[in-house]
Amino acid sequence: MKFTGKNVLVTGSSRGIGAEIAKTLADFGLKVWINYRSGESEAKDVQSEIITAGGEAEIIGFDVSDDKAFIDAIKTIVSTDGELSYLVNNAGITKDKLAMRMKTDEFMSVINANLTSTFIGCREALKVMRKKRFGSVVNISSIVGETGNAGQTNYSASKGGTIAMTKSFAIEAGTSGIRYNSVTPGFIATEMTNVLKDEVKEAFTSKIPMARFGEPSEVAQAVAFLLSDHSSYITGETLKVNGGMLM
């Protein structure tokens, strides 16, 4: 995979899919900034793994839904490296509950953590990247942002909004040579899905044409492609990584 830039910020990359994205991008030669909110020890583990494998990584802790904290973090990255070449907005939370029982603050907390944080990252990346007229951003959405899901009104709204917002940023940033794309993972084998009962996993798997959950590495490779020079004429697109569950 070919990259013109030299560094990348991956939010929420201390574990799960985010950690796999960070390690994959480091394998391709990028300096990775590993973001965490509360999992400092896990972030250090990811950093150590990258460095042991011959890569370069820094950790940077901040709450992505905090406007000032996100802005300050990007300033730190730019002052250290002289640029921010790539951004992956991956951080997010879930607070599942049936819509009729969901309180407004439960809805908004997920919107702020998932959608507002992605907006802040996209906006601040654009300000920095347009100075060099180069950059690529990938926003991690979800299959439920395309299909909806019972008990996930807040999460679905945040991820559906991410897809639409990505397209808007792509339109605004295109003439500056900056690309925005999104990835919508389906059911991926992570700590969250590993705790599901076998019968639940089987029910989900029966709806997937490839008859299995995806691996975090398969999402990471899709992200790497969309960031890289190999997708230099792709912007505003949504890449489905769901084993054919939604076509």
Side-chain angles (χ1 to χ4, degrees):
M1 207 79 74
K2 181 183 177 184
F3 293 88
T4 297
K6 69 179 183 180
N7 68 354
V8 58
L9 168 62
V10 184
T11 68
S13 51
S14 62
R15 58 192 177 92
I17 293 174
E20 192 65 34
I21 292 171
K23 289 183 281 188
T24 296
L25 294 176
D27 286 343
F28 284 123
L30 293 177
K31 176 181 179 180
V32 179
W33 287 82
I34 302 163
N35 161 254
Y36 69 93
R37 183 173 64 87
S38 58
E40 182 177 10
S41 62
E42 291 92 340
K44 287 182 177 179
D45 288 343
V46 176
Q47 180 190 31
S48 177
E49 189 172 341
I50 288 173
I51 292 173
T52 299
E56 188 176 2
E58 299 276 359
I59 62 173
I60 186 163
F62 65 94
D63 183 346
V64 293
S65 63
D66 184 326
D67 196 88
K68 183 178 184 303
F70 210 145
I71 292 171
D72 288 345
I74 289 183
K75 286 180 179 178
T76 296
I77 293 170
V78 174
S79 66
T80 302
D81 293 344
E83 66 181 273
L84 174 63
S85 305
Y86 308 103
L87 168 65
V88 180
N89 285 306
N90 168 75
I93 64 171
T94 59
K95 286 189 179 180
D96 297 351
K97 185 178 289 187
L98 291 176
M100 64 183 296
R101 297 174 182 169
M102 186 179 294
K103 296 180 180 178
T104 302
D105 62 346
E106 293 171 325
F107 179 85
M108 289 307 303
S109 64
V110 174
I111 294 295
N112 288 332
N114 299 359
L115 182 58
T116 304
S117 67
T118 299
F119 165 73
I120 296 169
C122 288
R123 181 192 66 195
E124 296 307 309
L126 179 56
K127 292 178 183 178
V128 171
M129 292 173 178
R130 69 192 298 269
K131 294 177 181 178
K132 291 193 173 184
R133 300 184 67 80
F134 172 82
S136 182
V137 177
V138 172
N139 297 323
I140 305 301
S141 180
S142 168
I143 188 173
V144 302
E146 302 171 288
T147 64
N149 194 34
Q152 290 192 311
T153 302
N154 47 7
Y155 187 73
S156 298
S158 71
K159 293 304 185 179
T162 293
I163 295 170
M165 184 174 68
T166 299
K167 295 177 184 294
S168 295
F169 269 103
I171 293 169
E172 292 190 15
T175 56
S176 297
I178 302 161
R179 300 183 297 109
Y180 287 80
N181 291 289
S182 59
V183 171
T184 54
F187 287 96
I188 307 299
T190 63
E191 293 177 0
M192 292 178 64
T193 57
N194 287 342
V195 299
L196 295 174
K197 295 180 179 180
D198 289 342
E199 56 266 30
V200 175
K201 290 181 182 179
E202 290 172 5
F204 287 138
T205 302
S206 67
K207 300 176 182 178
I208 302 172
M210 292 187 70
R212 66 175 178 85
F213 282 14
E215 296 295 329
S217 60
E218 293 173 309
V219 178
Q221 292 289 340
V223 171
F225 167 69
L226 287 176
L227 287 179
S228 77
D229 293 354
H230 294 284
S231 62
S232 58
Y233 199 51
I234 300 174
T235 192
E237 285 301 318
T238 302
L239 180 55
K240 297 175 172 61
V241 186
N242 60 37
M245 189 174 181
L246 175 66
M247 299 185 189

